[in-house]
Amino acid sequence: MAKPPQSVEALTAQYGPHLKFVPPGGWQGESLKGPEKLVKTHCCFCGQQCGIQLKVRDNQVTGFEPWEEFPFNRGMLCPKGVRRYMQSGHPDRLMSPLIRTDSGFREAGWEEAMSLTARRLQEVQAKYGKDAVAVYGGASLITEKSYLLGKFARVALGTRHIDYNGRLCMVSAGTAYKLALGVDRNPNPWEDIPKAQVVLVAGANVGECFPITTDYLWRMRDNGGRLIVVDPRMTPITRNADLYLPVRPGTDTALFSAMLHVILRDGLADLEFIENHTNGFDQVAEYVKAWDPRRAADVTGVRPEDIEKAAQWFGMAERAMALHARGIEHHSHGVENCLSLVNLCLATGNIGREGAGPNMITGQGNGQGGREHGQKCDQLPGQRHIADPAAREHVAKVWGITPEEIPQAGYSAVEIMEAIHRGEIKALFSMCFNPLVSLPDSEYTRAALEKLEFFCVVDFFLSETAHHADVVLAGSLQEEEEGVVGSGEGRVIKINKAVDPPGEARGDSVIVVDLARRLGKGQYFPFESTREIFDELREASRGGHADYYGITYERIEKEMGIFWPCPTLDHPGTPRFFEGGKFAHPDGRARFLVAEVRPSGDPVADEFPIFLTTGRVVSQYLSGAQTRRIGALVEQYPNPKVEIHPKLAGQHGIQTDDWVTVTTRRTSITVQAMVVRTIRPDTVFIPYHWPGRKSANRLTHRTLDPRSKIPEFKVSACRIEKAQGPQGGQ
């Protein structure tokens, strides 16, 4: 059973997180010696993928310089971006494979670790069947690794169960866009934002999670545009908003339905666009008749006059955009939330033009590219659906197998944990995914991990999840392998190798290829470099929605990135989708789809009368496995706090820095209070970047959207009470 071989305290003392404050060579090193080279590449964190130049000396990244020529961020970086280089030379870095023993982990050679991993995977499959092994990937991996993992799962292991931590990010938006528009990608490049007359930002803490996008919003406002913010919290951009709609958690569909009600009632719809370019409008128009602003106000907590104003501004604008993120996507009805926002844009003809369209803000580093080429459970390369016979035939030909040999769709990320609990999945191979911190209901996840008969992790730090591993394979940082990622805009950009992995650590792609060979499938994995993987990916994606065939490393560097689809070597790429009103469905028309208002999966009640919502803070990233090791970022926000409105705090006698126990139907955690006026009085907020007793995801629940399979992180019912002090231990 995959239980940690030592206490959490002992593992943390040995493997971290430890805080690093000083770069390799010290703060004076750059002035005394200077870098040997500057490497143009991109930040390893969020989906903005800002350009950066890394300073390199003695095979270590020692600092950075702004890359002012890169068009997206023009040299600007957020607090995480300016400190991302501090991972290089970190004392917690894994330098060799580890094998679990009864008393802890011991270092091992690659031959022993890889032979053990291959043997145990084969033994599990021989005993229980191919699908008894599952694969987890990461949405921050370069696209070559994402493609490689998808092929590895389906060809080397022959399992249908592969998914990735992007399942916790944008899949509700991607599902909605495919249903309505025919393709999973933003319609607009970010350069369109300043051209909009109205931008509605829904459930996106832009100032903290995507700071560089704030510049685009401020330029929009400088041009005379209006900013509408929809959120239960007054996030930093709200200070400069023209209208703030403090929506009750879980009620976004009701709000957007009421806005569409007003637009249709007041004759603000673009009927010519609807007639010529869409289907399904009448059913949606009929549904929203019942959602007048007063009814929506009762459900959402937003004043009816503000709903009217938002709808009129959006409907009267010649160019209106909607930006959204996890705040409307992390719901058991996240697809409906996104569809209702897309319906607003379709009804007003705000799509396929400069400064007009719905756009999701990508959360993870390669959240876009990482789901396009095969590590998502229902997709094959090129954003092809795995059940499509033509897609299977094309990819099988590239892979040198028959279509019948490609497994059908498997379980999503949370469903894989549930299958482990049931005893259906017995072994797990995971790369750069920390589910013990990032999945909902973390005690359930912990119990699942402990049931595994074999667990192998590939990572560069020992994450909290890796505490449960039988084998840990020392992998690579982003800057240690050459490759591409797809930014939130749909721009394919180049990650340039800056340094080699230190010690005995290996590139992730080298590890996967070696393991495939040891599993007897080496003829299908002849790759000697990530460049060779990318060339096969280009062919595998050819003809799909996400067609990369015309994209090469050389073109990317020359053109500062290329927007897919790019089907030929002389194709310019596609920065803006749906121009001329032609959509990606076979008939070329967009789909209006009824978005029903549904309750959350964890409703408030007398025992749990308060809404709990979770999210990020500016100095931390996702599960914190990387950022909780960088001293300056931890100092900025060292521990999770619960944000509470003064009215709610007063009812419980709570002041800032008091200890507060937050309890849901799962369990309780105790954290310090931050009493603020920037949150609804019926709602509390806790960031989720910490493990153990500090983990907000001990409180969240596993209710999934039935179509996207995303968990409902943004709405949990809770109660609060003042505590005497922190809980002991982890």
Side-chain angles (χ1 to χ4, degrees), residues 67-88:
W67 184 8
E68 295 177 351
E69 294 79 17
F70 188 70
F72 178 81
N73 61 306
R74 296 173 291 127
M76 294 181 289
L77 294 166
C78 80
K80 293 184 291 294
V82 300
R83 294 180 177 91
R84 52 93 67 213
Y85 73 94
M86 296 287 278
Q87 295 183 92
S88 185

Side-chain angles (χ1 to χ4, degrees), residues 437 617 620 622-623 628 637-640 687-692 694-696:
V437 179
V617 294
Q620 294 296 314
L622 303 184
S623 76
R628 283 187 282 110
Y637 201 115
N639 289 293
Y688 62 79
H689 311 286
W690 287 266
K694 302 175 181 178
S695 174

Side-chain angles (χ1 to χ4, degrees), residues 209-515:
C209 303
F210 321 103
I212 304 308
T213 294
T214 60
D215 177 68
Y216 288 84
L217 292 174
W218 303 156
R219 284 190 276 147
M220 178 273 299
R221 293 195 74 247
D222 288 344
N223 291 336
R226 288 167 163 165
L227 175 62
I228 304 169
V229 175
V230 178
D231 205 289
R233 302 165 63 221
M234 295 182 70
T235 60
I237 63 166
T238 312
R239 300 173 191 142
N240 296 85
D242 298 280
L243 181 61
Y244 170 52
L245 307 181
V247 65
R248 183 173 288 125
T251 64
D252 303 276
T253 301
L255 174 66
F256 302 141
S257 295
M259 288 179 62
L260 184 53
H261 173 103
V262 173
I263 285 168
L264 300 183
R265 182 200 69 192
D266 293 354
L268 301 177
D270 188 337
L271 298 179
E272 182 179 355
F273 178 87
I274 292 168
E275 175 67 24
N276 293 334
H277 302 292
T278 72
N279 294 327
F281 171 72
D282 290 343
Q283 293 90 333
V284 170
E286 182 63 29
Y287 180 78
V288 301
K289 281 182 180 178
W291 284 98
D292 62 86
R294 289 200 172 278
R295 181 187 180 192
D298 291 339
V299 172
T300 66
V302 178
R303 298 187 308 175
E305 58 266 33
D306 288 339
I307 297 174
E308 298 253 2
K309 183 182 293 186
Q312 289 164 354
W313 286 1
F314 199 90
M316 294 174 67
E318 290 184 15
R319 298 180 305 279
M321 293 184 73
L323 303 180
H324 59 93
R326 312 303 79 76
I328 72 166
E329 297 158 24
H330 277 162
H331 294 269
S332 58
H333 44 79
V335 174
E336 279 91 345
N337 287 344
C338 296
L339 285 173
S340 60
L341 201 52
V342 172
N343 285 342
L344 278 177
C345 293
L346 292 176
T348 54
N350 276 301
I351 195 164
R353 299 183 286 112
E354 282 190 343
N359 291 273
M360 50 185 136
I361 308 180
T362 307
Q364 299 196 58
N366 196 19
Q368 182 68 53
R371 68 182 185 274
E372 292 168 357
H373 297 293
Q375 70 169 338
K376 188 167 173 276
C377 69
D378 60 351
Q379 263 181 201
L380 292 174
Q383 207 178 105
R384 293 177 164 93
H385 198 279
I386 199 168
D388 178 5
R392 296 171 66 84
E393 183 176 355
H394 174 85
V395 173
K397 184 176 181 180
V398 175
W399 286 353
I401 61 176
T402 66
E404 293 72 27
E405 291 177 275
I406 299 177
Q408 292 292 337
Y411 293 141
S412 67
V414 175
E415 291 173 324
I416 284 173
M417 279 297 165
E418 293 171 342
I420 295 170
H421 253 286
R422 295 193 300 269
E424 185 179 339
I425 291 174
K426 302 289 188 178
L428 181 62
F429 180 85
S430 178
M431 179 180 287
C432 296
F433 188 174
N434 192 10
L436 190 56
V437 179
S438 57
L439 285 184
D441 195 0
S442 55
E443 290 309 307
Y444 182 94
T445 302
R446 186 188 306 277
L449 293 174
E450 291 179 354
K451 291 184 177 183
L452 287 167
E453 293 189 13
F454 180 71
F455 183 24
C456 177
V457 167
V458 182
D459 218 327
F460 44 84
F461 295 133
L462 194 77
S463 69
E464 289 75 21
T465 300
H467 291 176
H468 293 258
D470 296 283
V471 178
V472 181
L473 303 175
S476 52
L477 289 170
Q478 185 202 59
E479 58 262 30
E480 293 167 0
E481 286 194 282
E482 181 183 39
V484 305
V485 297
S487 76
E489 299 179 285
R491 187 198 303 257
V492 182
I493 53 181
K494 180 90 180 311
I495 304 299
N496 284 314
K497 182 176 179 179
V499 293
D500 294 319
E504 298 300 314
R506 289 183 175 178
D508 296 334
S509 64
V510 175
I511 294 170
V512 175
V513 169
D514 185 12
L515 186 55

Side-chain angles (χ1 to χ4, degrees), residues 610-624:
I610 302 166
F611 294 98
L612 165 68
T613 192
T614 64
R616 288 162 54 182
V617 294
V618 68
S619 64
Q620 294 296 314
Y621 179 63
L622 303 184
S623 76

Side-chain angles (χ1 to χ4, degrees), residues 195-208:
K195 302 170 185 176
Q197 294 173 333
V198 171
V199 175
L200 187 154
V201 176
N205 184 1
V206 175
E208 294 195 76

